[in-house]
Amino acid sequence: KTIHPMDEHLCGERALDLATLSEKGYPVPPSFVVTNDAFEAFVLNNRLQQKIGAALQGATLTATSPMSRARAVHTMTVLPDGSVLVLGGMLRLNSELADAELFDPGRARFRAAATPSALRKSHTATTLRDGRVLITGGLDDRNAYLRTAEIYDPVRQTFTTTNSMTVARSGQEAVLLDDGRVLRVGGTGTGWSFLSSAEIYDPRTGRFTATGGMTEARESHVALKLRDGRVLVVAGHRGRRADITISRTA
């Protein structure tokens, strides 16, 4: 059976999103959907109700204190002491933020952090082996693509600039490698171009160097380090609106 956008009773929201893209003419890779009825039958036939109930028992969602300001397209990174660094983003269209705050899970409160060196949104923030955080790329308040990078030191509670990336990029994926270096791959660059290039940051030298690129340019992809240390990069898209191409390659 072909799923249509009006089939809310059959399946979940992700499947309906793909159905909507398909009906509007966007290329959607061949896929299958686990329907709501099939999922319920699987749970019943395997007598999983009690196991699921036990796993969820006592689990609750509770509101915590709000951040100091609204923001979107920001990053959140867990620090070695368990606190969370919230960085950048935008307050509204063309109102990017050059600030950061820290969430204390013990007190369930946010407090102001040091001020980053640049306004940025759609950037990445990666915790290094030594507990510092590498922040790279993104877009500024003029929607210009950034090459700049900076380091947050949770011990000194300071931001300091480091060497710039080889290519200005936003929407890239960042992966901490087994040797402590950081791979940055794909995204979009100057002129809204889609990037197949990749680069590696070495915290020992504070420098970025280009490395082998992907077979195709992509944004909105996912990159994941495998157990053997290699990095798997999957799917994503190129183009915008009517010209969008959604990828199935890896």
Side-chain angles (χ1 to χ4, degrees):
K1 173 180 172 60
T2 300
I3 298 297
H4 297 284
M6 299 302 293
D7 291 332
E8 298 99 334
H9 61 291
L10 290 178
C11 54
E13 291 184 3
R14 185 63 57 86
L16 296 178
D17 289 342
L18 292 175
T20 300
L21 288 171
S22 180
E23 286 211 348
K24 290 185 177 181
Y26 296 121
V28 175
S31 54
F32 67 90
V33 172
V34 177
T35 64
N36 296 336
D37 288 344
F39 175 75
E40 291 177 4
F42 176 81
V43 171
L44 291 173
N45 292 340
N46 291 278
R47 300 178 180 178
L48 297 176
Q49 305 98 308
Q50 289 185 345
K51 290 184 178 180
I52 294 174
L56 296 177
Q57 188 174 8
T60 59
L61 290 174
T62 56
T64 186
S65 61
M67 294 186 294
S68 62
R69 66 166 81 215
R71 67 180 77 226
V73 208
H74 53 285
T75 54
M76 297 202 307
T77 312
V78 179
L79 302 176
D81 66 356
S83 60
V84 180
L85 175 68
V86 183
L87 174 69
M90 67 178 189
L91 178 61
R92 55 184 175 273
L93 187 63
N94 297 325
S95 180
E96 282 62 41
L97 302 172
D99 69 354
E101 46 194 307
L102 292 165
F103 177 73
D104 181 340
R107 298 183 178 181
R109 293 185 178 277
F110 291 88
R111 62 179 176 85
T115 302
S117 65
L119 294 156
R120 64 179 84 228
K121 65 181 179 184
S122 299
H123 51 285
T124 59
T126 309
T127 304
L128 303 175
R129 277 184 171 181
D130 61 8
R132 296 178 302 156
V133 179
L134 171 67
I135 301 111
T136 62
L139 297 163
D140 68 11
D141 56 337
R142 295 174 293 117
N143 279 331
Y145 290 88
L146 298 172
R147 287 182 59 210
T148 58
E150 54 192 304
I151 298 283
Y152 176 73
D153 186 330
V155 176
R156 298 180 179 178
Q157 299 187 11
T158 57
F159 289 91
T160 56
T161 57
T162 187
N163 291 288
S164 294
M165 296 187 293
T166 61
V167 175
R169 65 179 79 223
S170 170
Q172 72 270 25
E173 281 284 288
V175 179
L176 181 67
L177 304 177
D178 285 343
D179 62 4
R181 297 181 300 163
V182 181
L183 173 70
R184 330 202 69 71
V185 60
T188 55
T190 303
W192 218 351
S193 58
F194 290 81
L195 303 175
S196 62
S197 62
E199 53 192 295
I200 291 179
Y201 176 78
D202 189 335
R204 295 169 297 182
T205 64
R207 294 185 179 278
F208 293 86
T209 56
T211 188
M214 298 180 290
T215 56
E216 67 177 55
R218 63 185 84 213
E219 184 192 26
S220 303
H221 50 295
V222 176
L224 181 71
K225 184 172 70 67
L226 304 176
R227 287 185 176 181
D228 63 7
R230 294 179 299 163
V231 176
L232 175 66
V233 183
V234 175
H237 80 274
R238 301 184 305 280
R240 303 289 181 187
R241 301 184 179 90
D243 295 325
I244 194 170
T245 298
I246 299 176
S247 174
R248 60 181 295 185
T249 62

